[in-house]
Amino acid sequence: MLCSLCWLLLIAVVVLGLVYYVIQKGKERSWKRKMEEVGGVKDIPVLPGDYPLLGHLTTFMRYPPDNHFEKHAETFKELGDSFIIKAPGVPSRTYVLTINPDVVKHIASSKFGSLFEKGEKMQRQYLQFLGHGIFNVNGEEWKKHRNVTGTLFHTKSLKDYVHVFATNAHRMFTKFEEVKKGPEYVAKGIDMQDYFMRYTLDSFAEIGFGVKLRSIEEQVNHFAIAFDTVQTHTERRGRVGEFWPVLEKLKPNHDYEQKLKYMNETVNNIVQQRMSENDETLRASTDALSSIIMDTRTNQLSYTEEEFRDFVMNFLIAGRDTTAMLLTWTFYYLAVNPDVEKKVVDEINEVIGEEALNFENIKKLTYLKWVLQESLRLKPPVPVDGYTALEDDVLPGGLRIKKGWEVYYISEIMHKREEFFESPEQFIPERFKEPNGCKAGMNHPAVYIPFHYGPRTCLGREMAYEEAKIMICLTLQKGIRFRLHKDFEPQIKQSIILTSKNGMWMDMISA
């Protein structure tokens, strides 16, 4: 009896869904006629294989689960620099994917806040993970989070961070010597992705939250493992559109739930540790979390414990993962381009010499900055981002979109457009002699956006460069070189953060 009822419910849902689909198609035709009256507008190409209710689900299922970029790149060549894909739902969840810098400028700057922002579907998808933190809110909430962290990135603060980054780098070197003595090192080498995640976690926890986590010394990096599970799960909810809550009810992902619980406990422990400090201790601290707690105690700000959790979780991502992946991929490119590595060494010897690293002298490392910029071009840490249309609109090029459609720019592909970048697949730091690394005369302000674009451009850009430069300088000055372990080749893993699915296993050798 119960089985029969389930089938009847399923049939009813399908029938109602198809009726809704037909009604929506009629509305869409009416909308198109309305837009045609404006003149000079056109439809965005739709990826073939769109079905009622399912959207492009069957197409997604044929793609490699960890890397859609190659398939998307092929589609851009076939359909142009913007196209539509649809995820399941009633109605389907419509995504506009683009590598057009004019569109990026339009949604992230020109019309940001008035016509485009983080939409409800985006926010709901990431709510359990990001909560109401800076990456998942709009308007005044977003401004509040952004304003309270401004002092983290002032020049005076950046000068103070040099010591923190250098101290943690030396802790890494000590750990490497220990790891080299273990049996796994001979068989596999060192997973540098894992250790750069530890380095940036410990560094940002200290400067952002005033706590010393000491993950570098741990045998297993539990936080990184949990984060990878949580970020992958939440990002891939978008592939099943509006059906993900139902699917997760029918088949819960217990590993995700356990990992999210662990992350929440870790973050809440950080918050509770700082909230237990007295006013004198907090006033003497320079980290952002202490400042927010004090401002809340004195009624200058209004933050709940849940908002403290969201603040810490979001800024752990901002301060840990993006710089960790910048370092991971930069050391990869140095390993496979020893001629570039030699130029970096020569510049360090010439500019730094026997001096201790400081804010002023590392700023003078121009070639190393180019190396980091080139690494970010080929492997942007956050490879996809976007916003939701609040009203019907016409994108640059006369592309009409509807209210509620989500427009995503894929910097991982846009950064390799031959129209803008010479030999785009090659690692050529010298290209950054030109603005944004573009061909002479071809620069566009929104074509190279590793830290994103517009009002939501990453505040921590200069801190990321500083932290990466310090680690690279100290490594090379110690005569340490990293080379890929025999037969190892990293495999792209697409998620919120662009990682290597199989780590970054490298051998540590002497220069």
Side-chain angles (χ1 to χ4, degrees):
M1 179 68 182
L2 183 61
C3 186
S4 300
L5 182 60
C6 290
W7 275 109
L8 285 171
L9 286 172
L10 180 61
I11 292 169
V13 168
V14 171
V15 170
L16 288 172
L18 288 172
V19 170
Y20 185 87
Y21 176 81
V22 171
I23 293 172
Q24 286 299 112
K25 279 294 182 182
K27 289 183 177 180
E28 190 172 320
R29 283 192 292 271
S30 174
W31 171 74
K32 284 182 180 180
R33 285 194 295 270
K34 177 183 174 183
M35 293 298 287
E36 283 167 1
E37 292 174 4
V38 177
V41 295
K42 56 188 177 183
D43 289 337
I44 301 173
V46 180
L47 179 71
D50 171 28
Y51 296 103
L53 303 181
L54 296 178
H56 288 98
L57 180 61
T58 56
T59 303
F60 294 155
M61 292 172 69
R62 293 196 298 269
Y63 284 5
D66 292 314
N67 184 1
H68 287 189
F69 295 136
E70 291 182 6
K71 292 292 186 181
H72 288 334
E74 292 173 6
T75 305
F76 282 123
K77 289 180 180 178
E78 295 170 4
L79 300 182
D81 57 28
S82 301
F83 67 89
I84 285 174
I85 59 173
K86 297 181 181 180
V90 184
S92 299
R93 190 170 171 182
T94 301
Y95 306 130
V96 178
L97 304 187
T98 188
I99 54 172
N100 183 336
D102 290 329
V103 174
V104 174
K105 184 178 179 181
H106 182 85
I107 68 168
S109 180
S110 305
K111 297 295 181 70
F112 170 76
S114 59
L115 279 180
F116 292 90
E117 64 179 17
K118 296 292 180 182
E120 291 182 7
K121 292 177 182 178
M122 290 183 187
Q123 292 173 316
R124 189 163 58 248
Q125 179 178 335
Y126 292 102
L127 183 63
Q128 292 174 321
F129 177 25
L130 301 177
H132 297 282
I134 192 168
F135 295 132
N136 208 36
V137 292
N138 300 299
E140 294 304 314
E141 277 190 283
W142 169 72
K143 288 178 183 177
K144 180 173 80 169
H145 290 308
R146 195 168 174 96
N147 289 339
V148 298
T149 56
T151 57
L152 267 178
F153 310 110
H154 289 171
T155 298
K156 181 185 180 303
S157 299
L158 293 174
K159 290 180 178 180
D160 294 338
Y161 301 156
V162 173
H163 172 72
V164 175
F165 297 146
T167 299
N168 287 328
H170 286 295
R171 288 172 52 216
M172 289 268 283
F173 301 144
T174 301
K175 181 66 177 180
F176 291 158
E177 292 302 325
E178 176 190 325
V179 172
K180 281 185 70 175
K181 298 174 184 176
E184 187 179 55
Y185 177 78
V186 175
K188 299 179 70 175
I190 301 175
D191 183 0
M192 295 304 297
Q193 178 172 265
D194 175 24
Y195 279 98
F196 287 137
M197 289 285 191
R198 299 171 187 234
Y199 166 66
T200 55
L201 174 62
D202 284 9
S203 296
F204 197 80
E206 186 172 348
I207 64 180
F209 315 128
V211 296
K212 295 187 177 182
L213 297 180
R214 303 199 69 81
S215 71
I216 291 171
E217 285 76 20
E218 291 179 347
Q219 288 299 111
V220 179
N221 189 356
H222 294 289
F223 189 89
I225 294 169
F227 177 84
D228 185 63
T229 299
V230 171
Q231 69 141 345
T232 300
H233 179 81
T234 51
E235 188 266 349
R236 292 185 184 177
R237 282 171 168 167
R239 299 181 185 181
V240 292
E242 292 301 280
F243 292 157
W244 69 261
V246 176
L247 294 175
E248 289 184 18
K249 286 287 186 184
L250 294 173
K251 188 178 180 182
N253 185 327
H254 296 299
D255 186 42
Y256 159 76
E257 292 170 353
Q258 290 170 0
K259 295 295 196 300
L260 180 62
K261 180 182 177 183
Y262 170 80
M263 290 180 69
N264 283 333
E265 289 172 350
T266 300
V267 167
N268 286 328
N269 285 340
I270 291 173
V271 172
Q272 292 304 319
Q273 180 180 334
R274 300 306 288 154
M275 290 186 71
S276 67
E277 304 282 3
N278 59 40
D279 290 1
E280 185 179 357
T281 301
L282 292 176
R283 286 196 184 98
S285 301
T286 58
D287 63 280
L289 181 57
S290 295
S291 176
I292 297 171
I293 293 172
M294 273 308 303
D295 286 347
T296 300
R297 286 182 183 177
T298 56
N299 297 318
Q300 296 179 55
L301 274 177
S302 176
Y303 262 72
T304 64
E305 284 197 29
E306 184 178 351
E307 286 178 310
F308 282 128
R309 175 266 180 205
D310 296 343
F311 169 81
V312 173
M313 186 71 81
N314 281 251
F315 276 92
L316 273 177
I317 299 168
R320 184 195 81 123
D321 296 273
T322 52
T323 309
M325 293 320 304
L326 168 58
L327 280 164
T328 299
W329 291 113
T330 299
F331 272 93
Y332 166 78
Y333 285 117
L334 291 177
V336 297
N337 295 279
D339 56 323
V340 172
E341 183 182 68
K342 183 180 184 306
K343 292 178 183 178
V344 173
V345 172
D346 290 344
E347 182 184 57
I348 292 170
N349 290 335
E350 180 181 342
V351 174
I352 308 296
E354 298 300 317
E355 290 183 22
L357 295 179
N358 57 56
F359 177 78
E360 286 75 19
N361 61 21
I362 62 175
K363 290 279 283 186
K364 298 175 184 176
L365 295 170
T366 303
Y367 187 75
L368 179 52
K369 175 74 171 291
W370 292 349
V371 168
L372 294 170
Q373 288 174 304
E374 181 70 340
S375 178
L376 288 166
R377 184 184 68 83
L378 290 169
K379 296 292 189 296
V382 181
V384 181
D385 203 358
Y387 303 102
T388 300
L390 302 178
E391 299 291 343
D392 294 353
D393 190 28
V394 178
L395 299 176
L399 304 176
R400 53 182 159 219
I401 66 168
K402 292 185 69 173
K403 176 182 178 179
W405 287 9
E406 299 167 50
V407 185
Y408 288 94
Y409 48 90
I410 306 179
S411 53
E412 201 275 344
I413 300 175
M414 185 169 69
H415 285 179
K416 298 170 186 172
R417 290 190 62 173
E418 292 184 358
E419 302 96 307
F420 296 98
F421 302 100
E422 192 74 45
S423 304
E425 298 292 340
Q426 295 182 28
F427 189 81
I428 308 172
E430 289 80 1
R431 74 172 77 246
F432 282 91
K433 291 178 182 177
E434 296 290 336
N436 282 334
C438 293
K439 294 176 180 178
M442 289 300 295
N443 179 40
H444 188 293
V447 75
Y448 174 73
I449 50 171
F451 296 99
H452 299 292
Y453 186 74
R456 292 186 84 135
T457 297
C458 178
L459 280 172
R461 173 174 53 191
E462 293 307 316
M463 186 176 78
Y465 282 132
E466 176 181 291
E467 187 174 6
K469 282 183 175 182
I470 288 170
M471 172 55 78
I472 294 169
C473 284
L474 291 175
T475 300
L476 298 179
Q477 284 179 323
K478 283 182 69 70
I480 297 172
R481 304 291 183 267
F482 288 101
R483 296 294 180 263
L484 294 180
H485 192 72
K486 183 181 179 182
D487 298 327
F488 175 80
E489 190 60 37
Q491 300 171 13
I492 290 293
K493 182 174 182 179
Q494 175 188 347
S495 192
I496 300 173
I497 305 297
L498 184 64
T499 62
S500 172
K501 179 182 178 180
N502 53 338
M504 191 62 72
W505 293 91
M506 308 184 92
D507 296 327
M508 190 170 81
I509 63 175
S510 299

Short mmCIF file of all heavy atoms in Angstrom, two decimals, residues 433-458:
data_model
loop_
_atom_site.label_atom_id
_atom_site.label_comp_id
_atom_site.label_asym_id
_atom_site.label_seq_id
_atom_site.Cartn_x
_atom_site.Cartn_y
_atom_site.Cartn_z
N LYS A 433 55.07 42.09 -17.31
CA LYS A 433 55.62 43.42 -17.59
C LYS A 433 54.50 44.30 -18.14
O LYS A 433 54.53 45.53 -17.98
CB LYS A 433 56.74 43.32 -18.63
CG LYS A 433 58.01 42.63 -18.14
CD LYS A 433 59.04 42.54 -19.25
CE LYS A 433 60.28 41.80 -18.79
NZ LYS A 433 61.27 41.65 -19.89
N GLU A 434 53.53 43.66 -18.80
CA GLU A 434 52.36 44.36 -19.33
C GLU A 434 51.23 44.30 -18.31
O GLU A 434 51.14 43.36 -17.52
CB GLU A 434 51.89 43.71 -20.64
CG GLU A 434 52.89 43.80 -21.78
CD GLU A 434 53.05 45.22 -22.30
OE1 GLU A 434 52.12 46.03 -22.14
OE2 GLU A 434 54.13 45.52 -22.84
N PRO A 435 50.35 45.28 -18.29
CA PRO A 435 49.23 45.28 -17.34
C PRO A 435 48.40 44.01 -17.44
O PRO A 435 48.03 43.57 -18.53
CB PRO A 435 48.40 46.51 -17.76
CG PRO A 435 49.37 47.41 -18.45
CD PRO A 435 50.34 46.50 -19.14
N ASN A 436 48.17 43.37 -16.29
CA ASN A 436 47.38 42.14 -16.20
C ASN A 436 47.95 40.98 -17.00
O ASN A 436 47.28 39.97 -17.22
CB ASN A 436 45.92 42.38 -16.63
CG ASN A 436 45.11 43.06 -15.55
OD1 ASN A 436 45.41 42.93 -14.36
ND2 ASN A 436 44.08 43.79 -15.94
N GLY A 437 49.19 41.12 -17.46
CA GLY A 437 49.81 40.04 -18.22
C GLY A 437 49.27 39.88 -19.62
O GLY A 437 49.53 38.86 -20.29
N CYS A 438 48.52 40.86 -20.09
CA CYS A 438 47.87 40.75 -21.40
C CYS A 438 48.83 41.12 -22.53
O CYS A 438 49.87 41.75 -22.32
CB CYS A 438 46.65 41.67 -21.46
SG CYS A 438 45.31 41.17 -20.36
N LYS A 439 48.44 40.74 -23.73
CA LYS A 439 49.17 41.18 -24.92
C LYS A 439 49.16 42.70 -24.97
O LYS A 439 48.21 43.35 -24.48
CB LYS A 439 48.49 40.65 -26.19
CG LYS A 439 48.53 39.14 -26.37
CD LYS A 439 47.75 38.75 -27.62
CE LYS A 439 47.75 37.24 -27.84
NZ LYS A 439 46.96 36.85 -29.03
N ALA A 440 50.19 43.29 -25.55
CA ALA A 440 50.27 44.75 -25.65
C ALA A 440 49.01 45.29 -26.34
O ALA A 440 48.61 44.81 -27.41
CB ALA A 440 51.51 45.16 -26.43
N GLY A 441 48.38 46.25 -25.69
CA GLY A 441 47.20 46.87 -26.26
C GLY A 441 45.91 46.09 -26.07
O GLY A 441 44.85 46.53 -26.53
N MET A 442 45.98 44.93 -25.39
CA MET A 442 44.78 44.09 -25.24
C MET A 442 44.30 44.00 -23.80
O MET A 442 43.45 43.17 -23.47
CB MET A 442 45.07 42.68 -25.78
CG MET A 442 45.22 42.61 -27.29
SD MET A 442 43.71 43.15 -28.15
CE MET A 442 42.56 41.90 -27.63
N ASN A 443 44.83 44.82 -22.92
CA ASN A 443 44.44 44.73 -21.51
C ASN A 443 42.96 45.09 -21.32
O ASN A 443 42.44 45.99 -21.97
CB ASN A 443 45.30 45.66 -20.66
CG ASN A 443 44.92 45.61 -19.19
OD1 ASN A 443 44.63 44.54 -18.67
ND2 ASN A 443 44.91 46.75 -18.54
N HIS A 444 42.33 44.35 -20.43
CA HIS A 444 40.95 44.63 -20.02
C HIS A 444 40.94 44.54 -18.50
O HIS A 444 41.50 43.60 -17.93
CB HIS A 444 39.99 43.61 -20.63
CG HIS A 444 38.54 43.94 -20.42
ND1 HIS A 444 37.93 43.92 -19.18
CD2 HIS A 444 37.57 44.29 -21.31
CE1 HIS A 444 36.66 44.23 -19.31
NE2 HIS A 444 36.41 44.46 -20.58
N PRO A 445 40.31 45.49 -17.81
CA PRO A 445 40.38 45.49 -16.34
C PRO A 445 39.78 44.26 -15.68
O PRO A 445 40.11 43.95 -14.53
CB PRO A 445 39.61 46.75 -15.95
CG PRO A 445 38.74 47.07 -17.12
CD PRO A 445 39.53 46.63 -18.32
N ALA A 446 38.91 43.53 -16.39
CA ALA A 446 38.22 42.40 -15.77
C ALA A 446 38.58 41.06 -16.42
O ALA A 446 37.84 40.09 -16.27
CB ALA A 446 36.71 42.60 -15.83
N VAL A 447 39.74 40.99 -17.10
CA VAL A 447 40.10 39.73 -17.75
C VAL A 447 41.05 38.90 -16.88
O VAL A 447 41.12 37.68 -17.02
CB VAL A 447 40.71 39.97 -19.15
CG1 VAL A 447 42.15 40.48 -19.05
CG2 VAL A 447 40.64 38.69 -19.99
N TYR A 448 41.79 39.55 -15.98
CA TYR A 448 42.68 38.84 -15.05
C TYR A 448 42.19 39.16 -13.65
O TYR A 448 42.40 40.25 -13.13
CB TYR A 448 44.13 39.30 -15.25
CG TYR A 448 45.10 38.72 -14.23
CD1 TYR A 448 45.48 37.38 -14.29
CD2 TYR A 448 45.61 39.51 -13.22
CE1 TYR A 448 46.35 36.84 -13.37
CE2 TYR A 448 46.50 38.98 -12.28
CZ TYR A 448 46.86 37.65 -12.36
OH TYR A 448 47.73 37.13 -11.42
N ILE A 449 41.51 38.19 -13.02
CA ILE A 449 40.81 38.48 -11.77
C ILE A 449 41.00 37.37 -10.73
O ILE A 449 40.03 36.83 -10.19
CB ILE A 449 39.31 38.72 -12.02
CG1 ILE A 449 38.71 37.58 -12.86
CG2 ILE A 449 39.08 40.06 -12.69
CD1 ILE A 449 37.20 37.64 -12.96
N PRO A 450 42.24 37.02 -10.40
CA PRO A 450 42.44 35.96 -9.40
C PRO A 450 41.92 36.33 -8.02
O PRO A 450 41.63 35.45 -7.20
CB PRO A 450 43.96 35.78 -9.39
CG PRO A 450 44.50 37.09 -9.84
CD PRO A 450 43.52 37.58 -10.87
N PHE A 451 41.82 37.63 -7.74
CA PHE A 451 41.25 38.09 -6.48
C PHE A 451 39.85 38.67 -6.69
O PHE A 451 39.34 39.41 -5.86
CB PHE A 451 42.17 39.13 -5.83
CG PHE A 451 43.52 38.58 -5.45
CD1 PHE A 451 44.63 38.76 -6.26
CD2 PHE A 451 43.67 37.84 -4.29
CE1 PHE A 451 45.86 38.24 -5.92
CE2 PHE A 451 44.90 37.31 -3.93
CZ PHE A 451 46.01 37.51 -4.74
N HIS A 452 39.27 38.32 -7.82
CA HIS A 452 37.95 38.77 -8.23
C HIS A 452 37.93 40.26 -8.55
O HIS A 452 38.98 40.89 -8.66
CB HIS A 452 36.89 38.30 -7.24
CG HIS A 452 36.86 36.81 -7.18
ND1 HIS A 452 36.43 36.04 -8.24
CD2 HIS A 452 37.29 35.94 -6.24
CE1 HIS A 452 36.58 34.77 -7.94
NE2 HIS A 452 37.11 34.67 -6.74
N TYR A 453 36.75 40.80 -8.71
CA TYR A 453 36.65 42.12 -9.35
C TYR A 453 35.53 42.93 -8.73
O TYR A 453 34.54 42.39 -8.23
CB TYR A 453 36.40 41.95 -10.85
CG TYR A 453 36.43 43.23 -11.64
CD1 TYR A 453 37.64 43.86 -11.91
CD2 TYR A 453 35.25 43.82 -12.09
CE1 TYR A 453 37.67 45.05 -12.63
CE2 TYR A 453 35.28 45.00 -12.80
CZ TYR A 453 36.49 45.62 -13.06
OH TYR A 453 36.52 46.80 -13.77
N GLY A 454 35.69 44.25 -8.78
CA GLY A 454 34.63 45.14 -8.30
C GLY A 454 34.69 45.35 -6.80
O GLY A 454 35.71 45.10 -6.16
N PRO A 455 33.58 45.78 -6.20
CA PRO A 455 33.56 46.06 -4.76
C PRO A 455 33.94 44.87 -3.89
O PRO A 455 34.41 45.04 -2.77
CB PRO A 455 32.10 46.48 -4.50
CG PRO A 455 31.62 47.00 -5.82
CD PRO A 455 32.31 46.16 -6.86
N ARG A 456 33.73 43.64 -4.40
CA ARG A 456 34.02 42.46 -3.59
C ARG A 456 35.41 41.89 -3.89
O ARG A 456 35.70 40.74 -3.54
CB ARG A 456 32.94 41.39 -3.79
CG ARG A 456 31.60 41.83 -3.23
CD ARG A 456 30.53 40.75 -3.27
NE ARG A 456 30.61 39.86 -2.14
CZ ARG A 456 29.56 39.46 -1.42
NH1 ARG A 456 28.33 39.90 -1.71
NH2 ARG A 456 29.70 38.64 -0.42
N THR A 457 36.28 42.69 -4.50
CA THR A 457 37.67 42.27 -4.68
C THR A 457 38.27 41.92 -3.32
O THR A 457 38.03 42.62 -2.33
CB THR A 457 38.49 43.39 -5.34
OG1 THR A 457 37.96 43.64 -6.64
CG2 THR A 457 39.95 42.98 -5.48
N CYS A 458 39.05 40.88 -3.28
CA CYS A 458 39.62 40.38 -2.03
C CYS A 458 40.46 41.44 -1.32
O CYS A 458 41.41 41.98 -1.90
CB CYS A 458 40.47 39.14 -2.30
SG CYS A 458 41.27 38.47 -0.85
#
